[in-house]
């Protein structure tokens, strides 16, 4: 079959990979691996983002004696081994080598770490190895954690320049009402500029993983706005991955149709909000200019104030005169230098347009 995508990221949630009793569902894992293997053999490059470590490592006796943080650390340490060991055997049965990439939110922070990770996955893909990514839950705690693996999958998809991201959970997609209500239907297509589906969403979260539909919607919108097609579908359905990629089949799922491609560096900036070191407030004229024309940079003359303490190369938030965040950018000056330059004419940009991501 001719494949529409050359490179895809597939995220599989804990609820897909585990049975009702919380143990790993080997039959499901095997079916998922078989489908990925088939794609791989047809020339599609796949990166798998797999949850399930904490769920697979759960132990009732220990759960009663440990606090929540220690439980997560211990269960993920035990469970990640079980998870990757099973993947290793299943891929091996298909004649394919897989490799493990464990990461942390911090590793997406500096451009150098980001590029190191990208290079690692690139070299794996080029050598026919399927990267299996998960958060390093043993050391990622509290505010250092990704919101969930949906966030991680978005970062990975944009980092590796995937054309599509498939997010598999135990529900068919985003419904236009309560999924339990027979009247509710899955929203099939979400177009650029029409991404806010919050009116339809329930607040309930995944019972095993940390994610939920709210977070999936946020990530899917952001990633699709950067030019990646995002598909939210039910990983419990047989043959779901291959069916989703078969254009002759009309599979129930929610597809976020992609906007225009954004450059690699802008994708990194777009996902760096949590790492902002400071804030640059710009005047109304500068705001209009950067919104109207993507070739506009932030010049000293349009700056009203600078706050926070940042160095050249750090990510900063760009806000309007009334404090609304409008962009993120990589600054070319430290906060001290930028402050000196406020309002000056004829100076070089504080943030060059190539490093400015307008929200
Ligand atoms: N990294 C976690 C695990 O493997 C899952 C996080 C999530 O549920 O999104 O267990």
């Amino acid at each position: 079959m001719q494949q529409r995508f050359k490179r895809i990221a597939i995220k599989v949630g804990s609820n897909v990979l585990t049975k009702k009793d919380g143990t790993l569902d080997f039959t499901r894992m095997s079916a998922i691996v078989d489908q990925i293997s088939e794609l791989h053999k047809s020339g599609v490059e796949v990166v798998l983002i797999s949850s399930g470590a904490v769920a697979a490592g759960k132990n009732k006796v220990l759960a009663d004696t440990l606090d929540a943080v220690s439980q997560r650390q211990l269960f993920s340490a035990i469970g990640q081994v079980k998870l990757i060991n099973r993947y290793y055997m299943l891929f091996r049965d298909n004649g394919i080598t897989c490799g493990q990439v464990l990461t942390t939110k911090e590793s997406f922070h500096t451009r150098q770490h980001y590029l190191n990770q990208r290079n690692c996955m690139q070299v794996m893909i080029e050598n026919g190895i399927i990267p299996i990514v998960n958060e390093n839950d043993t050391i990622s705690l509290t505010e250092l954690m990704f919101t969930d693996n949906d966030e991680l999958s978005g970062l990975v998809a944009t980092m590796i320049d995937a054309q599509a991201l498939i997010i598999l959970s135990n529900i068919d997609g985003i419904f236009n009402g309560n999924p339990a209500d027979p009247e509710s239907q899955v929203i099939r297509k979400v177009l650029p500029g029409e991404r806010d589906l919050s009116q339809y969403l329930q607040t309930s979260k995944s019972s095993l993983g940390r994610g939920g539909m709210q977070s999936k919607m946020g990530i899917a919108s952001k990633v699709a706005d950067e030019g990646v097609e995002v598909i939210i579908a039910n990983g419990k359905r047989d043959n779901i991955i291959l069916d989703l990629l078969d254009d002759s089949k009309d599979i129930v799922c929610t597809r976020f149709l992609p906007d225009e491609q954004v450059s690699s560096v802008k994708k990194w900036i777009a996902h760096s909000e949590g790492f902002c070191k400071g804030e640059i407030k710009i005047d109304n004229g500068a705001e209009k200019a950067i919104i109207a024309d993507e070739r506009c940079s932030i010049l000293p003359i349009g700056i009203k104030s600078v706050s926070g303490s940042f160095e050249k190369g750090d990510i900063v938030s760009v806000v309007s005169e009334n404090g609304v965040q409008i962009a993120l950018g990589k600054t070319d000056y430290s906060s001290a230098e930028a402050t000196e330059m406020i309002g000056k004419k004829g100076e070089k940009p504080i943030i060059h347009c190539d490093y400015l991501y307008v929200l």
Side-chain angles (χ1 to χ4, degrees):
M1 192 194 358
Q2 178 65 34
Q3 297 289 349
R4 190 152 64 95
F5 304 113
K6 175 87 186 84
R7 183 175 283 188
I8 59 175
I10 300 176
K11 185 256 168 176
V12 189
S14 302
N15 279 319
V16 177
L17 296 174
T18 44
K19 292 187 286 195
K20 281 207 180 77
D21 65 4
T23 57
L24 283 176
D25 183 343
F26 297 144
T27 313
R28 180 75 49 207
M29 282 181 82
S30 170
I32 287 172
V33 168
D34 287 348
Q35 294 173 72
I36 294 176
S37 300
E38 195 172 323
L39 282 178
H40 181 83
K41 286 174 187 165
S42 72
V44 180
E45 296 166 339
V46 183
V47 172
L48 175 62
I49 299 95
S50 179
S51 301
V54 175
K58 265 201 180 123
N59 175 308
K60 188 95 190 51
V61 181
L62 292 169
D64 290 340
T65 56
L66 297 171
D67 62 77
V69 170
S70 305
Q71 276 185 40
R72 199 176 114 78
Q73 289 185 294
L74 187 68
F75 296 165
S76 63
I78 302 168
Q80 180 65 24
V81 182
K82 289 191 195 172
L83 189 69
I84 207 73
N85 189 35
R86 182 57 59 163
Y87 275 127
Y88 172 77
M89 291 193 294
L90 292 168
F91 275 113
R92 190 192 53 188
D93 292 347
N94 281 281
I96 295 170
T97 308
C98 63
Q100 171 180 262
V101 180
L102 291 180
T103 186
T104 61
K105 195 162 183 159
E106 280 278 283
S107 311
F108 285 83
H109 181 179
T110 57
R111 183 93 182 125
Q112 193 53 53
H113 271 126
Y114 183 85
L115 294 176
N116 290 349
Q117 292 193 104
R118 189 165 78 169
N119 188 57
C120 171
M121 288 188 213
Q122 184 65 32
V123 84
M124 290 171 91
I125 294 169
E126 278 166 12
N127 287 285
I129 293 157
I130 298 199
I132 304 179
V133 188
N134 196 3
E135 181 169 12
N136 187 350
D137 297 298
T138 60
I139 55 164
S140 305
L141 301 168
T142 56
E143 72 277 6
L144 293 176
M145 281 180 351
F146 293 105
T147 315
D148 47 47
N149 268 9
D150 298 324
E151 183 186 17
L152 173 60
S153 70
L155 281 161
V156 171
T158 51
M159 181 171 78
I160 59 160
D161 288 325
Q163 286 120 35
L165 164 64
I166 299 177
I167 299 181
L168 296 178
S169 73
N170 57 352
I171 184 158
D172 283 339
I174 300 180
F175 283 78
N176 61 1
N178 186 340
D181 180 348
E183 299 283 291
S184 302
Q185 285 181 340
V186 171
I187 300 166
R188 304 293 290 268
K189 276 198 180 115
V190 185
L191 302 173
E194 298 172 14
R195 307 269 201 224
D196 187 8
L197 309 177
S198 42
Q199 50 169 327
Y200 302 123
L201 293 180
Q202 316 290 308
T203 46
S204 65
K205 287 202 150 197
S206 144
S207 58
L208 282 168
R210 298 204 299 276
M213 267 310 156
Q214 191 83 39
S215 117
K216 285 183 182 49
M217 187 202 74
I219 297 297
S221 303
K222 189 165 180 172
V223 173
D225 283 346
E226 292 161 38
V228 182
E229 178 164 330
V230 184
I231 306 165
I232 300 178
N234 192 339
K236 296 259 187 197
R237 288 194 184 275
D238 290 343
N239 213 42
I240 185 73
I241 302 174
L242 297 177
D243 284 350
L244 286 170
L245 298 175
D246 182 345
D247 288 338
S248 67
K249 294 192 176 155
D250 183 27
I251 303 299
V252 178
C253 65
T254 302
R255 279 179 201 263
F256 286 71
L257 299 187
D259 212 332
E260 272 168 46
Q261 270 278 348
V262 168
S263 75
S264 296
V265 71
K266 285 200 187 191
K267 285 182 193 162
W268 170 64
I269 292 169
H271 288 271
S272 297
E273 186 167 1
F275 303 120
C276 281
K277 291 280 166 57
E279 195 175 277
I280 291 180
K281 184 176 274 188
I282 58 172
D283 64 24
N284 291 334
E287 179 186 351
K288 278 201 190 107
I290 63 162
I291 289 172
D293 181 1
E294 59 178 34
R295 298 303 309 159
C296 265
S297 301
I298 305 277
L299 298 168
I301 188 149
I303 295 181
K304 303 276 293 178
S305 65
V306 171
S307 57
S309 167
F310 52 86
E311 296 301 324
K312 175 181 160 75
D314 279 342
I315 301 293
V316 294
S317 171
V318 179
V319 301
S320 66
E321 278 193 25
N322 45 17
V324 177
Q325 188 183 36
I326 44 179
L328 293 162
K330 182 158 98 74
T331 165
D332 247 343
Y333 293 92
S334 68
S335 45
E337 288 164 339
T339 306
E340 284 275 296
M341 291 163 78
I342 291 176
K344 287 196 180 150
K345 276 192 190 154
E347 296 283 348
K348 286 208 315 207
I350 300 275
I351 303 173
H352 189 273
C353 60
D354 287 346
Y355 298 93
L356 185 68
Y357 182 74
V358 180
L359 299 167

